[in-house]
Amino acid sequence: MFKALGRFVVGHRWLVIIGWLIAGAAVIGYAPSLATTSDQAEFLPKHYESIQAQKIQEKAFPKGFSPSAIVVFTREDGKALDKADSAEVTKVGKAIQAKKYEKVEQVITVPPSPHKNVQTVMVSMADVKAGDKSQQHAVEDMRDDLKAMVANSGLKVGVTGDAAAQLDNEEASKKADGLIFIATIVLIIVLMTIIFRSPTITVLTIVGITLVSQIANGLIAIAAKEFHLKADSSVSPLLIVVLFGVGTDYILFLMFRYRERLRLGEDPKTAMISAVSRVGEAIASAAGAVIVCFLALLLSSLSFLVSMGPALSIAIGVTLLASLTLIPAIISLMGTRVFWPSKSWQHEPRAARFEAVGKAVARRPGLSVIGSGLLMIVLALGALGYKPTFASQEDENSKKESQVALHAMSKDLPAGSTNPSTVLMRSTNGEKLRDADMKSFVTDLKQVKGVGSASRTQLSKDGTTAEFSAVLTMDPNGREAMDVVRGPLRTAAHEAAPPGTETKVGGVTSVFVDINKAINRDFSVVFPTAAALIMLILGLLLRSIVAPIYLMVSVALGFGATLGASVLLFQQVQEQSGLTFFLPVIMYLFVVAIGTDYNILMVARLREEAKEGLGPREAAAKGIQHAGPTVAAAGVILAGSFAAMMLASDVSLAQIGFAVAFGIVISAFVMAMFFTPALTALLGRAAWWPRRIKPEQPRQGVPPHGRPHHQQSVPAQGGSSYAQGGRRD
């Protein structure tokens, strides 16, 4: 199949290139912009209690006051606010109301804090749909005007709250995207130039992947719009890394094999057909493993993971198609000029290091398995200390205005006052709620350990729904607060509900509790499904039952080692409160899928060497010698691409960048280079069971490893198709 594809692409290269350009122009021109959101509540299904509470609240109090922005005032000299300062804050609050900013509905000036160090103005805004930036625009305008409003007053002002935080996060994300993009491009330029010593290949790689990325982004935006998918703000930097990192990997796989076939004496067109024929199955299987891993996210109960799956799958699918059609068409058009100005492609390097590694693994495969396996197991022990965190972690020295204002606000107010938990009580029999029952309910809430204060805040017009506020004594974003809401608060709220009523606990802490429950459920569904699908792909590729089993064992060890290393770095060394809650899912998808990629490339080469008549140990030595440089180069580029995410100021992105980069290094340099080939050598022909690998008969004049006896050098343009020596295609 892949030989036929190679023949078609090479034979109709102009048609392929023009087809890609036309398709690209159509997709890019038609595609809408990709809307993202950072509101975690939008990602949960309706059956979770926090979302049920939110729906009750929206129905009973459609015009209820819920601040989207909080304007925080403190004195520049750090002293307590006096009456004149408070009067100035009230004046500014009225000015904000008079400005009639877009979406702003109500402005309330709150009295100073208990120690009079802080005073706030609460700004309520109309709800908007995902992707609507009007709230953020209002905050931008408000911030600009506030500078003039407090000028020469001695007051310092900052805007925080959900709308302000989303604005700051969006701006930070744009900066991070730019930084990650530049770092990734620079890395690809440097490494591709070093590997091939040719700026031509480097330019071709970047231009080709840039076109592919624009098409992929367009298709993702179209799919998100058509299927009403909600994209998380973290999708954008992931797409940059996936498209450029994985895309470069696939081009590397192709170029290494293309160069190898040229060195065996094939002309450029035949060499490209051979390259697609030989490496196409490995690339397609590797991409298939990644795609099915991502599509397994469709089984998630969190909508941002559900939308992330198709988005990343589309990116990989387009990259796969381009690497087997567009890139071969362009290269076959350029011929050996693609290597200009270097002539090194004509001579095979000795690859002494990989040859030495291959011989060492073949000589002592048992020691290689034990050594590499123990390394991964020891690192995996660190995963026992894993702690998830659900709120966005910010550096205390963060310069984001929303964070600076929030820190100032929290210094003089109860920890939970920044985001109090809400409890909704609703009549189930149509009767009005009684005052005595509601007062008793408030008393019960106050007795919950961890609740600092409780009060009734609203009663619906028909008297059938009441809203209560429960201010926690601890950080509402922390695990301690989650334990309170998950356990005693929800239990007390449910048990203390008067007859004929029901209660639901909402608020940001409740949302985090439900996200935790959802992600635990996803671990038990998504992980096994992805593993089963990958094993199926491996089984189809290798026609074996044994090999897929130990290959999955190796990537499981790689996953554990990666999680353990991340826990040690971020929780132990940097003393962060935990790892972002969806990091294990991202790690699993990338480390398992990419680890499978490199295992596929190595095992496919081991099988190829076995077909040439080599024994298990000799096949391992030759497999590492020939596939090792490809795996190493691909691993360095992809790991470096993800490591670029560590340059972002966002802690979650930095954690993802390190974890996936480390996992790829483990996959490329521990699993694929040592563990997998050594274990394959130990198992011998049993590794391919029930398939029997039969050595292929070489052609006349061609030894088992493909180089004709008479060949001394490689002609620049080779000979006629299939006339040159080489392994049988």
Side-chain angles (χ1 to χ4, degrees), residues 71-73 81 85-86 89-90 109-113 117-121:
V71 187
V72 182
F73 296 87
L81 300 168
D85 295 326
S86 188
V89 172
T90 302
T109 301
V110 180
S113 60
N117 290 325
V118 179
Q119 189 168 0
T120 59
V121 172

Side-chain angles (χ1 to χ4, degrees), residues 46 80 180 263 299 301 319 329 451 471 478 486 490 492 528 556 618 620 623 643 689 718:
K46 296 178 181 179
I180 292 168
R263 286 171 176 165
L299 300 175
S301 53
T319 304
V451 174
V471 179
R486 181 189 297 109
R490 281 187 172 177
E618 292 80 4
W689 187 86

Side-chain angles (χ1 to χ4, degrees), residues 319-401:
T319 304
L320 167 65
L321 188 60
S323 66
L324 295 181
T325 56
L326 177 62
I327 301 301
I330 296 174
I331 294 173
S332 66
L333 188 67
M334 298 178 69
T336 57
R337 291 186 296 274
V338 75
F339 297 103
W340 183 88
S342 174
K343 300 291 186 181
S344 62
W345 64 270
Q346 297 181 13
H347 310 286
E348 185 172 359
R350 187 162 176 263
R353 293 175 183 171
F354 293 99
E355 183 180 3
V357 171
K359 288 180 177 178
V361 170
R363 188 165 51 249
R364 294 184 177 178
L367 183 62
S368 297
V369 170
I370 293 172
S372 56
L374 277 178
L375 173 63
M376 292 187 284
I377 291 171
V378 169
L379 286 173
L381 293 176
L384 297 175
Y386 166 68
K387 296 178 182 177
T389 183
F390 296 86
S392 175
Q393 299 182 69
E394 295 284 350
D395 187 344
E396 290 185 0
N397 299 318
S398 173
K399 295 182 180 179
K400 292 181 184 178
E401 183 174 326

Side-chain angles (χ1 to χ4, degrees), residues 479-722:
R479 283 189 298 273
E480 190 179 355
M482 290 173 59
D483 291 338
V484 170
V485 170
R486 181 189 297 109
L489 182 56
R490 281 187 172 177
T491 299
H494 298 159
E495 292 179 353
T501 68
E502 66 171 354
T503 55
K504 302 291 181 182
V505 179
V508 66
T509 310
S510 186
V511 168
F512 292 151
V513 168
D514 289 338
I515 287 178
N516 186 32
K517 184 178 180 180
I519 206 74
N520 287 337
R521 175 261 178 200
D522 289 351
F523 286 161
S524 64
V525 175
V526 176
F527 283 18
T529 301
L533 291 173
I534 289 177
M535 286 189 68
L536 178 62
I537 288 177
L538 289 171
L540 293 174
L541 170 68
L542 302 173
R543 285 81 167 178
S544 166
I545 295 175
V546 176
I549 295 174
Y550 69 79
L551 290 179
M552 287 307 299
V553 169
S554 72
V555 294
L557 287 173
F559 169 79
T562 303
L563 181 58
S566 301
V567 169
L568 292 173
L569 175 63
F570 293 107
Q571 292 182 198
Q572 302 300 324
V573 177
Q574 297 189 6
E575 298 183 344
Q576 294 180 10
S577 60
L579 302 180
T580 186
F581 70 93
F582 59 86
L583 180 62
V585 176
I586 299 298
M587 277 175 43
Y588 183 82
L589 296 174
F590 280 101
V591 174
V592 171
I594 301 300
T596 303
D597 274 14
Y598 298 151
N599 270 340
I600 285 174
L601 192 68
M602 182 59 73
V603 172
R605 189 67 192 227
L606 295 176
R607 184 184 62 180
E608 189 173 323
E609 299 295 344
K611 284 183 177 181
E612 300 288 355
L614 295 182
R617 297 197 179 198
E618 292 80 4
K622 287 295 181 181
I624 294 172
Q625 179 183 345
H626 292 298
T630 309
V631 171
V636 169
I637 287 179
L638 192 56
S641 299
F642 274 99
M645 295 176 68
M646 296 177 67
L647 299 174
S649 59
D650 185 276
V651 175
S652 295
L653 286 180
Q655 290 180 353
I656 292 172
F658 169 80
V660 178
F662 186 86
I664 290 168
V665 169
I666 289 289
S667 299
F669 294 97
V670 179
M671 289 192 322
M673 209 74 72
F674 290 93
F675 190 85
T676 297
L679 194 52
T680 303
L682 280 178
L683 291 172
R685 304 199 182 279
W688 314 112
W689 187 86
R691 188 183 185 189
R692 296 184 64 184
I693 302 295
K694 296 181 179 179
E696 295 179 350
Q697 295 299 320
R699 297 177 185 179
Q700 185 176 2
V702 183
H705 291 286
R707 187 179 298 280
H709 289 300
H710 63 273
Q711 183 180 326
Q712 299 297 326
S713 62
V714 181
Q717 295 297 325
S720 61
S721 297
Y722 307 107

Side-chain angles (χ1 to χ4, degrees), residues 243-290:
L243 286 163
F244 281 88
V246 175
T248 304
D249 268 12
Y250 291 166
I251 292 174
L252 269 176
F253 295 168
L254 182 70
M255 288 302 300
F256 268 97
R257 191 54 72 100
Y258 175 60
R259 188 175 64 180
E260 179 182 316
R261 301 311 298 179
L262 287 173
R263 286 171 176 165
L264 294 177
E266 293 182 352
D267 67 273
K269 292 181 182 178
T270 305
M272 181 50 66
I273 294 172
S274 298
V276 173
S277 172
R278 288 173 173 271
V279 84
E281 185 179 25
I283 293 177
S285 299
V290 178

Side-chain angles (χ1 to χ4, degrees), residues 9-45:
V9 169
V10 172
H12 302 83
R13 49 192 180 277
W14 277 114
L15 178 63
V16 172
I17 294 170
I18 293 172
W20 268 96
L21 293 175
I22 293 174
V27 171
I28 295 169
Y30 174 77
S33 59
L34 180 62
T36 61
T37 179
S38 57
D39 183 359
Q40 302 287 10
E42 291 190 23
F43 301 133
L44 280 168

